[in-house]
Amino acid sequence: MYGLFLRHFFLIKSSFPRILDLIYWPSIQIILWGFISKFFSAYSDYYNNTVGIILTCAILYDFLFRSSISFNMLFLEEIWSRNFTNLFIAPMKISEIIISLVFTALIRTLIGLVPAILLTSPLFGISILKLGIPLFFLFLSLYIFGITLGLFVSSGLIRFGPSFENIAWSSLFLLAPLGCIYYPIEILPEFFQILAKGLPLVYIFDETRNILVNNFVNFQNILNAFYLNAIYLLIGICLFYFSFSKARKKGSLINMGE
Amino acid sequence: MIEVINLSKSFQNNKAVNNINFNIGKNEIIGLLGPNGCGKTTTIAMILGLLKPTKGKILINKKNIEHHRIELLHKMNFISPYIELPKKLTVKQNLIVYAKLYNVKDINERIDYLSSTLRLSKIINSLTGELSSGQKNRVSLAKSLINNPSVLLLDEPTASLDPETGNFIRSFLEDYINQKEISILLASHNMVEVERLCTSVMMMKSGEIIDRGTPNELIKKHGRKNLEEVFLKLVRTEDEF
């Protein structure tokens, strides 16, 4: 019994990502639901006349989550199947790898999302299509941000190997409280508001609520999200190239998955 | 053709490969022998462009792998028992994927050729994950030949195989090198295999090539009965006992 305990204790003790993972989930859950509770207790009449805002935001957030995870999964599956090295000795440019992952992740995401959207109408009488044409821009913006997060995480996987896997799963939950998915930015403490304004999520979800509550489109929010997305995407691509170069120096592309 | 010139690789203060030089010409199989951790895999990884050398250069068909990596990888391939193909794909699906990645023109023709010569016909539609070690090894060999490479790197290609399958792979490689223009680097711990296949052998220890020659030359030079005894003589040091 003690031996089995030690086997896991040694594993946890030697891996900072594992320790972080243990602390991370409870903290994020408490922070996220703390802000949601605070919002509802202060503004209980905010959603009175608009059924489905929460569900619409949940679908949009899930789209972001799926697109990012889909991107990461494509990488993780190669690591799990020990096929990683085979891919990197194939004559593929880094740009070709990124482009193929972007399109494959889109297909994976849509396979998961379309049935969910179709279910909301008969089950809850809500159609996300009520958002109209701006919905396309909101989805596009979320997809770009999801892919960007995927690039950040995949860069970590290339550079640090499978031990970075937990970060892949938890990266989006870190942003959930700051992304203001279910509540306006004003609900956050001032310091967090400054951080949140640097994320495209705030503008995307603020605009979603704005369209549903006020029946009015503020294109400035959509543009702000795209500007920020462009910056993060560029950083993500550079980071991916940088990680590949570092991995070639360090040797982490060899026997990945072991 | 492979030319390795003054090649070194250090990880922090550890010299994994220290100033090695060798050439592999067309239709040559050169053996790379040495104990675990001597730098064989590091050398192969640098030739494949997976690892950046600290010093020196690698020329494949006169072109530097650092500057022409993608172009050269089209004509190179690699097999190792430590790298696998996706288990949930059938053998044929895996070969199609890699044929596409390497821009193979007549994919069906190439797969049919490899399928018949490597005895894959009966398992071509089986899931790769459900195959035996010997079958997986033949599939990996098929993947490594899918692009008709002019440079092939083999890292312990017959490790953990039964004698019959190991013999089949060796016979296949002997026939293949007689039919195609190819340079092969073979890293192995199987001395019989190296004696049988290799035109020349390099002995590696602590990141350096400590001796080289044809198997017969090395056996004569060190006054031993076979290559295994030469290997043991060269790699053993007093502090290991």
Side-chain angles (χ1 to χ4, degrees):
Chain A
M1 245 162 54
Y2 182 58
L4 191 59
F5 162 76
L6 276 181
R7 178 247 184 277
H8 290 286
F9 178 72
F10 289 146
L11 195 69
I12 292 167
K13 201 179 76 164
S14 62
S15 168
F16 180 67
R18 279 195 168 86
I19 297 169
L20 191 67
D21 196 49
L22 292 175
I23 302 164
Y24 179 85
W25 290 105
S27 310
I28 289 297
Q29 291 286 6
I30 286 166
I31 293 168
L32 177 65
W33 288 105
F35 286 137
I36 292 174
S37 308
K38 188 181 165 190
F39 171 63
F40 277 113
S41 60
Y43 304 94
S44 55
D45 57 341
Y46 184 79
Y47 287 141
N48 271 357
N49 299 319
T50 315
V51 181
I53 292 182
I54 297 253
L55 195 57
T56 303
C57 289
I59 289 171
L60 289 179
Y61 176 62
D62 195 66
F63 178 76
L64 170 73
F65 183 80
R66 297 287 148 213
S67 53
S68 181
I69 287 295
S70 291
F71 194 95
N72 296 334
M73 278 297 292
L74 297 169
F75 246 89
L76 286 168
E77 277 183 14
E78 302 304 350
I79 294 174
W80 293 332
S81 63
R82 307 210 310 172
N83 184 45
F84 200 79
T85 307
N86 271 331
L87 280 188
F88 279 95
I89 59 163
M92 270 196 301
K93 292 177 190 161
I94 297 295
S95 57
E96 290 171 334
I97 292 175
I98 293 174
I99 292 166
S100 63
L101 291 180
V102 165
F103 282 103
T104 317
L106 179 63
I107 291 164
R108 278 183 70 125
T109 307
L110 290 177
I111 289 170
L113 188 80
V114 171
I117 292 174
L118 295 175
L119 275 176
T120 54
S121 188
L123 286 179
F124 303 105
I126 292 155
S127 173
I128 194 170
L129 301 174
K130 261 177 83 176
L131 287 166
I133 291 168
L135 178 66
F136 170 76
F137 296 107
L138 296 172
F139 267 135
L140 182 63
S141 204
L142 283 169
Y143 186 65
I144 295 170
F145 193 61
I147 289 303
T148 303
L149 289 174
L151 279 168
F152 282 123
V153 173
S154 303
S155 304
L157 287 169
I158 289 176
R159 177 71 180 79
F160 300 105
S163 65
F164 207 75
E165 187 180 323
N166 286 342
I167 309 289
W169 296 111
S170 49
S171 57
L172 269 164
F173 289 98
L174 175 68
L175 297 175
L178 288 177
C180 300
I181 298 153
Y182 303 111
Y183 43 79
I185 191 168
E186 294 75 26
I187 214 74
L188 294 176
E190 214 159 296
F191 173 71
F192 285 117
Q193 284 188 34
I194 298 166
L195 294 179
K197 280 178 184 166
L199 291 174
L201 295 183
V202 170
Y203 304 97
I204 294 168
F205 287 103
D206 193 41
E207 191 47 34
T208 306
R209 284 188 296 272
N210 177 50
I211 296 169
L212 292 173
V213 174
N214 303 320
N215 282 320
F216 164 75
V217 184
N218 178 2
F219 281 101
Q220 193 55 50
N221 268 339
I222 293 174
L223 279 176
N224 286 344
F226 273 112
Y227 291 145
L228 286 170
N229 268 328
I231 295 167
Y232 286 121
L233 182 62
L234 191 65
I235 295 171
I237 291 170
C238 292
L239 188 66
F240 196 89
Y241 275 89
F242 176 74
S243 294
F244 178 71
S245 167
K246 279 281 174 193
R248 280 193 68 225
K249 278 186 191 157
K250 196 189 161 207
S252 44
L253 295 173
I254 312 165
N255 296 338
M256 178 83 80
E258 293 202 339
Chain B
M1 185 178 174
I2 307 172
E3 292 167 80
V4 170
I5 304 160
N6 301 329
L7 192 68
S8 297
K9 180 67 190 176
S10 299
F11 296 104
Q12 292 169 333
N13 296 324
N14 175 33
K15 279 193 173 176
V17 171
N18 189 12
N19 201 35
I20 62 170
N21 290 276
F22 62 87
N23 294 339
I24 307 178
K26 276 179 190 169
N27 298 93
E28 271 189 333
I29 304 185
I30 304 291
L32 190 57
L33 299 182
N36 293 328
C38 72
K40 298 190 297 288
T41 304
T42 304
T43 304
I44 288 176
M46 284 192 279
I47 295 172
L48 285 165
L50 279 174
L51 201 55
K52 194 177 169 70
T54 310
K55 218 179 76 183
K57 60 183 173 181
I58 297 155
L59 305 180
I60 309 286
N61 301 330
K62 303 283 178 197
K63 287 184 176 172
N64 193 326
I65 186 80
E66 279 300 307
H67 307 137
H68 301 88
R69 187 173 158 269
I70 302 296
E71 178 194 340
L72 292 172
L73 284 175
H74 275 286
K75 294 307 281 176
M76 296 170 74
N77 221 315
F78 173 55
I79 177 174
S80 162
Y82 309 110
I83 298 167
E84 295 179 9
L85 292 166
K87 297 173 185 65
K88 302 286 181 193
L89 267 60
T90 66
V91 171
K92 189 166 189 177
Q93 285 170 336
N94 266 317
L95 293 178
I96 290 171
V97 167
Y98 279 94
K100 293 272 185 197
L101 289 178
Y102 282 90
N103 284 333
V104 174
K105 291 217 168 73
D106 303 312
I107 293 178
N108 287 330
E109 198 180 303
R110 188 70 188 154
I111 291 175
D112 286 346
Y113 165 74
L114 291 169
S115 173
S116 63
T117 50
L118 283 166
R119 298 187 201 159
L120 301 177
S121 305
K122 283 185 185 166
I123 55 164
I124 197 81
N125 291 314
S126 305
L127 289 177
T128 309
E130 291 175 358
L131 303 177
S132 68
S133 324
Q135 289 169 329
K136 275 184 191 164
N137 193 282
R138 281 185 278 134
V139 174
S140 292
L141 189 57
K143 174 259 153 188
S144 73
L145 297 171
I146 195 79
N147 58 330
N148 199 8
S150 58
V151 169
L152 183 60
L153 304 159
L154 307 169
D155 192 4
E156 300 179 42
T158 57
S160 75
L161 293 183
D162 65 72
E164 197 279 326
T165 312
N167 185 54
F168 170 78
I169 300 279
R170 284 172 213 123
S171 300
F172 175 85
L173 288 170
E174 280 175 326
D175 291 343
Y176 195 82
I177 200 158
N178 288 330
Q179 294 165 21
K180 311 277 177 183
E181 285 201 340
I182 189 167
S183 309
I184 299 179
L185 178 64
L186 168 67
S188 178
H189 289 131
N190 186 324
M191 302 301 145
V192 178
E193 175 174 283
V194 171
E195 270 191 77
R196 176 174 159 182
L197 291 175
C198 296
T199 41
S200 179
V201 176
M202 297 178 288
M203 294 285 185
M204 246 184 132
K205 188 183 168 188
S206 306
E208 293 178 6
I209 294 173
I210 53 171
D211 209 346
R212 66 179 88 201
T214 64
N216 282 337
E217 279 171 0
L218 288 172
I219 292 165
K220 267 189 194 166
K221 181 178 169 185
H222 293 279
R224 294 295 193 268
K225 285 180 196 160
N226 53 46
L227 203 56
E228 185 160 350
E229 289 186 7
V230 176
F231 175 84
L232 291 172
K233 182 195 170 197
L234 287 172
V235 302
R236 276 180 181 163
T237 53
E238 283 176 16
D239 57 321
E240 285 173 43
F241 294 93

